[in-house]
Amino acid sequence: MFGSIMSANWPERISAFSRSPSQFLCSTTSDIFLAEVLRELRDDRASDHIKVLLLSPLLEHPTLLCPSVSVGEETALELMSVFAQCSPKSLPLRRHLLLALTSVLLCSCCVSSHTSASQDFLELLLQTAQDTNDAQAGAALRPLRATACDCLRELEACLPGLLSQRLELLSSLRQQENSGLHQAYTGLHALALRNAVYLLTQQKGAGAGDLKAALGSNEGFVWGEGADSAHLDSESHSDLAIFSPLTLGPMGKVPSLQTGLDCKELRSLLSSLLEESYLLTSLSQAALLRGLVEVLAMVPAVSPTIFRAQLLRLLGTCKVCLVHTTLLMKAAFTDSLFSAEDEAFLLKRLVGLSQHPLLSTPEKLFYMDCILHFPENRPISCGDGDESLPVLLTPRLAAALVPTVFNDSVSMLARLNLLSLVYLEEGEEDGEGQGGRGLAYLYDHLTSLLRIVENQGSREMVVTFFRASFLFLLHFCHVERYSEDLSQRLCDLYLRHTRLAPHLINLADRTQDRLEESGWAVALLKALQRTITEAPLSQLTLQDLRWHLRILARVAEEGEVLQRATLNFLLCVITSSSSALCVSGDWRLGNGVLGVCRRLLLHPSLDSLLTPLADLLQHLTCHYGETDIQDHARLYYTLLTTLSREKLAGVLAQRGAERGRQAKVRSMSAIMAETEELTSGLTVHQTERPLLRLVKLEKHEPDDCKPEHKPESESACESESSPGQGGIEREDYRAQFQSPSFASEITLQYHLTHTGVHDPRFDKLFSIRLHFDLTDGHYEEVSDISVPCLFRTRKPPTVRLRLKPKQPYHTTLRASAIFTTEDGLSWHSQLADLHVAFPEVFLPFLAPLGWTREQKQRVFEGIWGEICSEESEGDLTNAATSLFCDQLEDSAMGELVEKHFQRYLVSDLDKGRCKVLFFLPPQSHVLLKIITEEDAVQVHIATDNWKLLPYINSYLEDITKEIHSTQQVNGDV
């Protein structure tokens, strides 16, 4: 009996659980919460509304409440019992029960483990679905059949091939159903058919006979690989569960089933499904057609012309899902199904839909993407995933998609990209041809965007313009009359709006990355340098100078660009008598100047820049009004004047430039560089996989925890003690709990070691800091643990983890580590979760110092009597008792006590009897009286915390099973 349990306000509790399951479980455990939910579901007094509400945690978080197969199966059996007892009128509750059962069985791996509960549930679903046309239960239960079909489809989708031996039944149900549920039966049948054919393709030697047998089968379920009815190889369900569309196009590989010409049963079945497809909704039609396309792709003996009757409807559809299915069909069967006229019509339709005014922007973008990846009957190229235009898309046909400034940004860029590909293929060198005129229009469109940006265009328009410029350059960078004119226009734009410097730098970087052989990016940087250095200084503002320095720093990274003009510009700005830069002491501006100087120190033409650069650095050292800038300038001046060019490059870069552009690397000079490099040098890097692990050590029993062995004379006198002493001793025992630190912690010991991943960089680790995060609220926050070092070749250090329970339950800790390697880098690595089992919370009897065995036994009996008393008050209102029984021989009983109870004994094992006390911080007790009766063992349990009973019962089951296994092994030997 669990004592008094306060009634639960279920709507509030379920709402709290849904908001934050982890926070909710801080006050209880998933096992206790699940038990309470199931108990309330069995209560006839609870309304159907409350029971439906109680099922929501199982629908939303089944893995949290049912983490194992055993828990999932027990929960499923309870739910099936509730379903059986439900009134037929409780339709919403019965439907939610079916959905909850599906979630629990799938997420707890009960179905894949072929448990009896999952088999019973499948039979229940099929039995419910077989009431076609509401012949038995009436139309009122039609929603229940719909839910059963949904559950079967979910099971088949998660375990492909599960219903592959029920195809005849599913076909019969589909043909018999005349109500609106025909769609659900059709979808279920098509999915099972597709998975069944795929499973046959994985069998060696499967042919027409196997396909015919599968179509006519109506017994059993295919639970997994190795099932007798399936004869699958090692790639059954696991592969099928993750394979993406089988129809990969004419160049793809599809598993095939060699059946010869004898496929009339399959052909008849496919024709029947296609004839009924027009009755379905658009989404269901698309799913059905996709499944049938995959079936035909795997059975080459059936001609794709079976889809011919559907093409007229599909080519005229405006539904996105059906258009996508049509293109999938065309990619799979090409000219075997689609004629040249069909292909031309489909392409024209895609062009028309791409600019239809009644369609939304996402739909238009989808159709334009379909044009770029159009599956041609006779593809010229076999590129995988690259954008390429179909041959039939001419400039005349694509003219409807020319971009305008009135398009939204995304559509404009998509149209620009599409038209650029069209005119690129037509040829642009001939200015009089269609390609030349089209290219001129695109450039005019680009200049129109530029004028909008010049006239204070919005941020969105600025971004759109630079993206459009990048797309234009990507396709037509080699057309000099346009690329050179664009460079000049960009320079003029920058001079008017210097805030666009980041966009120009990004455009140059991206163009240089994508067009490695083109010199346009370098030419743009040269032009920007010339624009900046030739502009009159009288018009220069400090805000403009900030952006100029960013541009010049980027220009200085190009080894082929001469930097004399940059230095002259900086000298004029810094040393000019009218310049207020040095006097202002602006740190940001000074750091910008130093950034340019640092890149010039690495420039290939440094020898010719030595004198003016030294003058610039010396002037900054002596006259700049900011100490940090002076110090950095002095350091750069010292490096410039004392180190050779090779040593200077080694100190500042440590590796050469890439494609003429100086690379940023971590070096000894990271502390001298600008903020970006300093941040990079101080970054804590993340390891790709766990490098460390904590290996649990066996618990060592301290001497003061071992039971005392007394002579028989002393034991004999224990029974003669005065019973009045027990109350005083219990008060002394409980007085210890007034100290907050008394027995408040448990200590677990681990070895910190490397994982199996061997990386020489991590053989020696230093300053390791272990951090632990709680996953529930049952324990106080865990302090970090420091480990000085860990060497792979040395003995692993011991880590002592101290936990302070709030509630004595099992828990899981998420562990991570930050450490330093020999090269000075800091790393962060995740560790495997640490699982603290319930028995690890046990502590032995914590009696006051100097107590005898007699005193401990009197306290034990006193607590036992208080728990068992019906008049318990105060701290013992949560007390409860229970009984655990098992069949154990005398020898097994001794092994059980010695192995699991030795350090917790209050009295030694004598004549098959003993007493055990577990103390669980902070203040819980579990008392056991173990009595041997013939070939059975009775464990009487008493505890002052009834919530611990499920865990104690599980613990006793586990240790007795272990003893039985040991006895069986010894007997076999």
Side-chain angles (χ1 to χ4, degrees):
M1 163 173 131
F2 287 93
S4 61
I5 306 174
M6 58 188 305
S7 60
N9 189 348
W10 284 110
E12 292 182 2
R13 296 189 69 193
I14 298 300
S15 176
F17 178 85
S18 300
R19 283 196 302 269
S20 176
S22 59
Q23 184 177 355
F24 178 85
L25 293 178
C26 290
S27 58
T28 183
T29 65
S30 58
D31 298 336
I32 293 175
F33 181 60
L34 177 61
E36 293 174 353
V37 168
L38 295 176
R39 183 165 54 251
E40 190 70 15
L41 286 171
R42 291 192 299 267
D43 191 349
D44 295 335
R45 296 170 295 179
S47 65
D48 287 355
H49 172 72
I50 292 296
K51 291 184 178 181
V52 169
L53 186 65
L54 289 169
L55 292 173
S56 59
L58 292 171
L59 288 168
E60 297 170 3
H61 303 280
T63 54
L64 193 61
L65 299 180
C66 304
S68 64
V69 175
S70 59
V71 177
E73 185 171 19
E74 292 175 3
T75 304
L77 292 173
E78 291 283 353
L79 295 177
M80 291 180 68
S81 175
V82 174
F83 182 87
Q85 296 173 6
C86 278
S87 169
K89 297 181 180 180
S90 302
L91 193 58
L93 175 58
R94 299 181 74 191
R95 294 180 65 189
H96 279 81
L97 281 168
L98 292 181
L99 295 173
L101 278 162
T102 304
S103 298
V104 168
L105 290 172
L106 282 174
C107 295
S108 61
C109 300
C110 287
V111 182
S112 57
S113 300
H114 189 186
T115 60
S116 59
S118 57
Q119 185 166 1
D120 294 341
F121 180 59
L122 278 168
E123 295 291 353
L124 173 64
L125 291 177
L126 286 176
Q127 181 181 357
T128 305
Q130 288 180 37
D131 183 22
T132 53
N133 298 317
D134 309 312
Q136 299 177 3
L141 295 185
R142 185 177 299 172
L144 186 65
R145 287 198 294 130
T147 303
C149 289
D150 291 340
C151 294
L152 286 170
R153 187 167 64 249
E154 186 72 13
L155 289 164
E156 175 65 22
C158 293
L159 278 88
L162 182 66
L163 301 175
S164 60
Q165 293 190 352
R166 295 296 184 110
L167 292 181
E168 184 180 16
L169 172 62
L170 296 178
S171 177
S172 174
L173 295 177
R174 174 184 61 82
Q175 294 174 2
Q176 294 174 20
E177 185 62 42
N178 297 323
S179 70
L181 292 185
H182 179 82
Q183 176 171 285
Y185 285 98
T186 301
L188 176 60
H189 184 205
L191 178 62
L193 173 64
R194 176 256 201 187
N195 291 340
V197 173
Y198 179 82
L199 291 180
L200 287 176
T201 63
Q202 304 305 298
Q203 294 183 26
K204 296 180 179 179
D210 300 286
L211 178 60
K212 184 176 181 180
L215 295 177
S217 60
N218 194 22
E219 292 183 1
F221 303 98
V222 180
W223 292 100
E225 59 182 3
D228 295 336
S229 57
H231 306 290
L232 301 178
D233 59 13
S234 60
E235 299 179 351
S236 59
H237 291 318
S238 58
D239 278 356
L240 188 57
I242 59 173
F243 81 87
S244 59
L246 289 170
T247 49
L248 304 177
M251 308 304 295
K253 295 181 180 179
V254 179
S256 60
L257 180 65
Q258 303 301 326
T259 60
L261 300 177
D262 188 16
C263 283
K264 59 181 181 180
E265 291 85 359
L266 179 61
R267 189 178 296 107
S268 174
L269 177 58
L270 295 177
S271 299
S272 174
L273 287 167
L274 289 172
E275 288 172 1
E276 300 169 358
S277 64
Y278 72 93
L279 299 172
L280 312 181
T281 63
S282 299
L283 288 174
S284 296
Q285 284 186 55
L288 172 65
L289 292 172
R290 176 170 177 166
L292 299 186
V293 166
E294 293 180 347
V295 170
L296 259 70
M298 292 185 286
V299 186
V302 181
S303 173
T305 55
I306 195 172
F307 289 107
R308 191 67 193 172
Q310 310 296 323
L311 279 189
L312 182 60
R313 178 166 56 88
L314 293 175
L315 291 175
T317 185
C318 61
K319 301 294 184 181
V320 172
C321 56
L322 290 178
V323 173
H324 183 266
T325 302
T326 305
L327 293 171
L328 179 68
M329 197 180 297
K330 191 175 188 307
F333 305 124
T334 62
D335 55 359
S336 300
L337 178 60
F338 290 80
S339 64
E341 292 77 11
D342 296 333
E343 184 177 51
F345 177 81
L346 181 57
L347 184 60
K348 290 178 181 179
R349 182 154 181 78
L350 289 175
V351 172
L353 291 171
S354 298
Q355 49 87 38
H356 199 287
L358 296 181
L359 295 180
S360 64
T361 298
E363 290 176 305
K364 295 177 185 178
L365 293 175
F366 167 74
Y367 291 125
M368 278 190 275
D369 191 71
C370 290
I371 295 174
L372 289 175
H373 300 87
F374 187 77
E376 298 181 89
N377 284 350
R378 305 282 181 175
I380 297 176
S381 64
C382 57
D384 186 15
D386 293 336
E387 293 179 347
S388 59
L389 292 178
V391 175
L392 296 177
L393 186 63
T394 61
R396 182 186 298 274
L397 180 59
L401 296 178
V402 292
T404 68
V405 294
F406 301 106
N407 298 130
D408 61 272
S409 299
V410 181
S411 298
M412 183 194 303
L413 294 173
R415 289 186 174 202
L416 178 63
N417 182 49
L418 180 64
L419 269 295
S420 296
L421 290 171
V422 171
Y423 297 138
L424 183 65
E425 292 192 359
E426 287 296 320
E428 68 290 330
E429 284 78 5
D430 183 7
E432 301 299 326
Q434 280 186 317
R437 292 195 299 271
L439 178 55
Y441 175 85
L442 292 182
Y443 189 72
D444 288 343
H445 172 71
L446 195 61
T447 55
S448 299
L449 294 178
L450 187 145
R451 284 191 290 272
I452 295 176
V453 174
E454 283 182 341
N455 295 309
Q456 303 297 328
S458 64
R459 183 182 183 278
E460 181 184 5
M461 186 55 67
V462 170
V463 173
T464 302
F465 165 69
F466 279 98
R467 287 179 175 175
S469 301
F470 174 72
L471 287 174
F472 184 86
L473 291 168
L474 201 60
H475 299 296
F476 305 112
C477 187
H478 56 285
V479 184
E480 294 182 359
R481 64 178 181 274
Y482 292 124
S483 60
E484 292 177 359
D485 185 67
L486 179 61
S487 295
Q488 185 58 47
R489 289 176 181 269
L490 289 174
C491 291
D492 296 339
L493 176 66
Y494 172 73
L495 206 54
R496 297 187 185 94
H497 302 285
T498 56
R499 60 184 175 84
L500 299 179
H503 296 283
L504 290 165
I505 293 173
N506 185 51
L507 177 63
D509 290 344
R510 301 289 77 77
T511 306
Q512 195 173 45
D513 292 340
R514 290 293 299 272
L515 303 173
E516 299 181 7
E517 298 180 358
S518 172
W520 183 87
V522 176
L524 173 65
L525 293 173
K526 286 181 180 178
L528 288 171
Q529 181 196 43
R530 184 170 56 254
T531 300
I532 293 171
T533 56
E534 293 178 359
L537 291 179
S538 59
Q539 301 177 6
L540 182 65
T541 65
L542 291 180
Q543 184 61 36
D544 290 342
L545 181 59
R546 286 193 179 95
W547 297 119
H548 289 348
L549 292 174
R550 293 188 65 173
I551 292 288
L552 294 176
R554 176 62 183 88
V555 174
E557 294 181 8
E558 297 299 332
E560 57 189 88
V561 179
L562 299 178
Q563 301 298 322
R564 174 69 68 170
T566 296
L567 267 177
N568 292 337
F569 171 78
L570 293 178
L571 283 169
C572 290
V573 171
I574 297 296
T575 61
S576 173
S577 58
S578 61
S579 174
L581 177 59
C582 289
V583 177
S584 67
D586 189 301
W587 184 86
R588 290 181 178 274
L589 282 174
N591 198 47
V593 175
L594 287 176
V596 179
C597 294
R598 185 175 188 276
R599 287 164 175 79
L600 292 176
L601 288 172
L602 295 170
H603 199 272
S605 61
L606 178 61
D607 293 341
S608 61
L609 305 174
L610 186 60
T611 301
L613 181 57
D615 293 342
L616 175 62
L617 291 172
Q618 191 174 33
H619 188 86
L620 289 173
T621 302
C622 299
H623 299 96
Y624 202 84
E626 213 286 326
T627 305
D628 183 61
I629 301 301
Q630 290 181 353
D631 291 342
H632 279 78
R634 184 180 297 107
L635 177 60
Y636 287 163
Y637 179 82
T638 303
L639 293 175
L640 176 65
T641 56
T642 58
L643 294 181
S644 65
R645 180 178 170 183
E646 291 76 13
K647 290 182 179 180
L648 183 63
V651 169
L652 294 179
Q654 291 191 354
R655 70 178 182 183
E658 298 176 1
R659 298 196 302 272
R661 181 177 164 191
Q662 296 167 7
K664 294 180 181 178
V665 296
R666 179 181 180 275
S667 69
M668 296 172 57
S669 64
I671 60 172
M672 301 181 293
E674 53 192 359
T675 306
E676 181 182 356
E677 296 188 6
L678 177 61
T679 303
S680 175
L682 298 177
T683 300
V684 177
H685 304 274
Q686 180 69 44
T687 61
E688 296 180 357
R689 62 190 73 180
L691 299 174
L692 304 175
R693 62 180 176 180
L694 289 169
V695 181
K696 189 174 297 182
L697 301 179
E698 292 296 330
K699 187 180 295 184
H700 296 285
E701 301 179 4
D703 295 337
D704 57 354
C705 291
K706 294 182 180 180
E708 301 174 9
H709 297 279
K710 296 185 177 183
E712 294 183 3
S713 59
E714 185 177 347
S715 299
C717 70
E718 293 177 354
S719 59
E720 301 175 0
S721 301
S722 171
Q725 298 177 6
I728 299 175
E729 290 164 345
R730 286 198 303 277
E731 292 178 2
D732 293 340
Y733 171 70
R734 286 177 177 146
Q736 301 175 105
F737 297 115
Q738 296 178 2
S739 173
S741 61
F742 172 73
S744 60
E745 293 184 345
I746 59 174
T747 302
L748 304 178
Q749 296 188 14
Y750 298 86
H751 271 161
L752 179 62
T753 66
H754 289 84
T755 61
V757 180
H758 184 265
D759 190 332
R761 294 178 299 169
F762 304 106
D763 285 347
K764 294 182 179 181
L765 307 179
F766 305 90
S767 302
I768 305 167
R769 188 78 169 177
L770 298 175
H771 178 73
F772 303 91
D773 290 316
L774 301 174
T775 58
D776 51 51
H778 301 151
Y779 289 78
E780 299 283 357
E781 292 293 333
V782 184
S783 301
D784 291 353
I785 299 176
S786 296
V787 180
C789 61
L790 173 64
F791 294 173
R792 190 182 293 273
T793 56
R794 295 184 185 178
K795 182 179 178 181
T798 300
V799 174
R800 289 176 175 80
L801 179 63
R802 291 179 172 83
L803 301 177
K804 189 173 184 178
K806 296 179 182 177
Q807 299 177 15
Y809 300 137
H810 60 83
T811 189
T812 299
L813 302 177
R814 294 194 175 96
S816 60
I818 293 181
F819 52 84
T820 303
T821 51
E822 281 189 290
D823 56 4
L825 290 176
S826 296
W827 292 84
H828 177 271
S829 177
Q830 291 291 336
L831 279 69
D833 290 349
L834 297 182
H835 301 284
V836 180
F838 179 62
E840 293 181 283
V841 189
F842 296 169
L843 292 177
F845 194 113
L846 300 174
L849 190 64
W851 271 29
T852 64
R853 175 70 64 87
E854 177 186 6
Q855 291 174 297
K856 294 180 181 180
Q857 290 193 21
R858 283 201 296 267
V859 172
F860 179 94
E861 292 296 342
I863 297 176
W864 185 281
E866 289 179 342
I867 291 174
C868 296
S869 173
E870 295 183 359
E871 299 179 356
S872 296
E873 297 180 356
D875 294 338
L876 295 179
T877 54
N878 290 325
T881 60
S882 183
L883 176 65
F884 176 86
C885 298
D886 195 84
Q887 292 184 344
L888 283 178
E889 300 176 357
D890 292 341
S891 59
M893 177 63 181
E895 182 181 352
L896 176 68
V897 172
E898 181 180 357
K899 190 172 183 179
H900 296 284
F901 299 147
Q902 188 69 38
R903 65 192 299 254
Y904 310 104
L905 285 176
V906 176
S907 67
D908 292 336
L909 182 62
D910 182 24
K911 297 180 180 179
R913 296 170 179 261
C914 67
K915 300 174 184 177
V916 177
L917 187 146
F918 299 133
F919 176 75
L920 294 85
Q923 293 185 20
S924 298
H925 298 80
V926 175
L927 289 71
L928 307 180
K929 285 186 177 180
I930 305 175
I931 304 173
T932 304
E933 299 287 348
E934 296 181 356
D935 59 346
V937 172
Q938 296 179 2
V939 182
H940 297 267
I941 308 170
T943 177
D944 50 13
N945 185 352
W946 65 267
K947 294 182 180 180
L948 298 178
L949 284 179
Y951 302 105
I952 288 293
N953 186 70
S954 299
Y955 169 66
L956 294 175
E957 285 182 356
D958 292 340
I959 62 177
T960 51
K961 286 179 182 178
E962 179 185 344
I963 296 298
H964 283 303
S965 301
T966 305
Q967 294 288 325
Q968 184 177 359
V969 171
N970 294 337
D972 294 340
V973 174

